[in-house]
Amino acid sequence: MSGGPLRICYGGTFDPVHYGHLAIARAARDQLQAEVALLPAHDPPHKAATRADAGQRATMLALAVAGEPGLSVDRRELARSGPSYTVDTLAELRGELGERAPIAWLIGADSLLQLDTWHHWRRLFALAHLVVVQRPGADIAPEHLRDAAPQVHAEVAARWQPADALHASAAGGIALLQLPGLRAESSTELRRRIAAGEPWRDWVPPAVAAYIDRHGLYRDPAAILPPNP
C-alpha cells in the first residue's frame, strides 16, 4: 500500500540545465502524475569537477523551473560534504516522507547499464523505485542488459512494472519512461558552444541565458570538458 502521491527525484550536475533536462522532468511529471524534484549534485562521484559552482547550478535550475507546476529544486545534496551518493539522498528522503510514501529516482538508460558501479546500489530498491529514460543509442532490451550488465539484469529482471503502477507501492520497482523525440541537447555541447562563441541561447530558458551572460559562465575553453550530460 502506498502513502500518498508519487514523488520523483531527478538528480544530476545540471552544468548547465537546458531544455533537454526540462523535457525529461515534464514528461515524468505528466506521464506519471507526479511531483518532480530536481536535485543538483554537490560532488558527483561518477564525474569530474563541474564548471559552474554548486550555488550557480542550483540558481540556474530554480530559474529554469520557475512557474512550472509540479517541478521544484531540492538543494539537500549541496548541504552535505563529500560525494553525493544517491543512496544517502534516498535514505534521507525516506526518513522524512515515511515508509509508505512512493518515491522514484529518475535515471537515463546509460546509467542503468552502469548501476552496479553505484554506491550500495542494491539498497536503492529498498528505498525507491527507478524510472528509466530511454535515451537514444542506449539499448536496455533484456538480452542486451543481460550481456552488458549481468548483475543489474539479475537484480531488475523481476522488478519491471508499468509506469502507472509505481503509485501503488513505496519502492522496489523499475519502469520505463516513454519519451518519443527526446531532445538532443547535452551540457557538454552547450558549454562547447558558449566557449566557442556559437549560437546557444535557444537551448536554455531566457532567464538561464541571462544568468550565464551576467556571470560570464562557460566562456573559458576549459569549460568544454569534462563531459557532464
Side-chain angles (χ1 to χ4, degrees):
M1 297 292 292
S2 71
L6 178 65
R7 178 183 177 89
I8 294 178
C9 301
Y10 181 12
T13 49
F14 303 109
D15 191 25
V17 62
H18 51 69
Y19 279 129
H21 293 130
L22 295 179
I24 291 171
R26 290 165 178 153
R29 175 197 64 192
D30 297 344
Q31 292 185 34
L32 304 182
Q33 299 297 298
E35 297 286 319
V36 178
L38 293 90
L39 292 89
H42 173 64
D43 180 16
H46 292 287
K47 296 177 180 176
T50 54
R51 293 302 171 178
D53 67 39
Q56 291 170 327
R57 291 183 287 110
T59 297
M60 287 186 283
L61 265 182
L63 291 170
V65 304
E68 283 274 359
L71 303 186
S72 63
V73 178
D74 185 329
R75 301 179 183 229
R76 71 180 63 237
E77 292 193 349
L78 306 187
R80 292 202 307 260
S81 59
S84 297
Y85 290 123
T86 299
V87 68
D88 295 335
T89 300
L90 286 174
E92 188 176 302
L93 273 168
R94 180 58 66 193
E96 293 173 7
L97 300 178
E99 294 182 0
R100 296 177 57 206
I103 302 173
W105 193 270
L106 187 66
I107 64 173
D110 50 348
S111 293
L112 179 64
L113 294 171
Q114 302 171 18
L115 191 65
D116 56 346
T117 68
W118 290 29
H119 188 64
H120 294 314
W121 68 279
R122 287 190 172 90
R123 190 173 171 231
L124 296 172
F125 295 100
L127 297 167
H129 303 294
L130 289 185
V131 175
V132 183
V133 179
Q134 179 73 65
R135 295 181 182 275
D139 184 1
I140 56 170
E143 59 276 10
H144 178 73
L145 188 59
R146 186 188 307 112
D147 293 340
Q151 291 188 74
V152 175
H153 172 75
E155 183 66 38
V156 306
R159 295 184 182 275
W160 287 100
Q161 301 179 15
D164 58 7
L166 299 182
H167 291 267
S169 59
I174 182 169
L176 190 65
L177 179 66
Q178 300 291 342
L179 197 58
L182 180 63
R183 297 180 65 104
E185 291 97 338
S186 76
S187 293
T188 303
E189 174 62 12
L190 179 52
R191 292 194 306 271
R192 188 200 68 77
R193 287 182 175 217
I194 295 171
E198 297 177 7
W200 59 272
R201 288 175 178 80
D202 59 340
W203 281 30
V204 300
V208 174
Y211 185 91
I212 291 171
D213 282 334
R214 185 162 63 251
H215 293 274
L217 298 178
Y218 311 114
R219 304 296 181 186
D220 186 338
I224 297 172
L225 295 175
N228 294 335

